[in-house]
Amino acid sequence: YTNYKLTKSLGDTTRRYMRYQRAMGDALASAIAACSDHLELVIEGMWFMFIADGKLAPEESACLASFMKRLEPEARERVLTRLVEDEFDWLERIATALPKELHVPFFHAIEVAAAVDKSVGLPERRLLRSAARRLGLPFDPKSTERLMKELEQNGLLTARNGTSAV
């Protein structure tokens, strides 16, 4: 029985990790192309969304690690020093570092990071609202709910509005 429970737990974690990777990969395909000079900010945003509920799940940690591998060693070190509990500095930097044309794809990537576990609580909503405000974008909680519903129904996100996966 113990072997069964451990194997099931490993399978569930692997399935969730693959969903995270697929959703984030799809969402970030256009964002990475557009925001390649700002990938550090995207990864930090993923971190803050993942820890907003007070815990970092194994699949979230694995997802972050896979995106960290894309960074050069110096950039990876910079990001690691900024993975802290307080998102205030990150919110300040996104408001000044990102050109206006990157605000929408950047915010979408962060919104997917919030929705990928199919549960967006009050801390994540507050962080999304703060990020949207800093980027001069409207915040619509129903958009995040639509992402969660699509992930629940399809297991992945489909392309809409001319972007790779929104």
Side-chain angles (χ1 to χ4, degrees), residues 30-99:
S30 63
I32 286 174
C35 301
S36 61
D37 293 337
H38 304 284
L39 186 56
E40 293 176 39
L41 288 172
V42 175
I43 293 170
E44 288 176 64
M46 291 168 54
W47 162 262
F48 290 119
M49 283 302 153
F50 290 166
I51 67 162
D53 62 2
K55 60 184 189 270
L56 184 64
E59 55 274 11
E60 292 169 336
S61 181
C63 183
L64 280 169
S66 73
F67 281 98
M68 291 287 284
K69 288 180 187 177
R70 299 175 186 213
L71 298 173
E72 295 295 324
E74 302 83 33
R76 194 174 309 128
E77 286 300 316
R78 281 193 306 271
V79 170
L80 284 172
T81 63
R82 293 190 303 247
L83 298 185
V84 295
E85 294 179 20
D86 182 3
E87 69 277 356
F88 181 78
D89 290 338
W90 173 76
L91 288 168
E92 290 295 315
R93 280 185 283 116
I94 66 171
T96 59
L98 289 170

Side-chain angles (χ1 to χ4, degrees), residues 15-30:
R15 181 180 41 77
R16 286 189 305 269
Y17 166 73
M18 295 307 292
R19 183 180 68 238
Y20 276 57
Q21 284 299 106
R22 174 62 191 261
M24 293 308 300
D26 287 352
L28 291 176
S30 63

Side-chain angles (χ1 to χ4, degrees), residues 43-159:
I43 293 170
E44 288 176 64
M46 291 168 54
W47 162 262
F48 290 119
M49 283 302 153
F50 290 166
I51 67 162
D53 62 2
K55 60 184 189 270
L56 184 64
E59 55 274 11
E60 292 169 336
S61 181
C63 183
L64 280 169
S66 73
F67 281 98
M68 291 287 284
K69 288 180 187 177
R70 299 175 186 213
L71 298 173
E72 295 295 324
E74 302 83 33
R76 194 174 309 128
E77 286 300 316
R78 281 193 306 271
V79 170
L80 284 172
T81 63
R82 293 190 303 247
L83 298 185
V84 295
E85 294 179 20
D86 182 3
E87 69 277 356
F88 181 78
D89 290 338
W90 173 76
L91 288 168
E92 290 295 315
R93 280 185 283 116
I94 66 171
T96 59
L98 289 170
K100 279 202 177 279
E101 64 270 12
L102 298 181
H103 289 190
V104 171
F106 179 86
F107 183 77
H108 177 68
I110 302 309
E111 188 176 34
V112 171
V116 74
D117 67 354
K118 298 185 279 183
S119 170
V120 177
L122 186 58
E124 290 129 327
R125 287 180 201 270
R126 285 182 177 158
L127 184 54
L128 284 170
R129 181 176 288 113
S130 294
R133 185 177 298 132
R134 297 294 171 107
L135 295 170
L137 300 173
F139 173 65
D140 178 11
K142 291 181 181 173
S143 172
T144 311
E145 291 171 17
R146 284 189 295 273
L147 290 172
M148 289 188 301
K149 186 176 181 180
E150 188 171 343
L151 284 166
E152 182 67 37
Q153 291 175 343
N154 305 328
L156 52 91
L157 300 173
T158 57

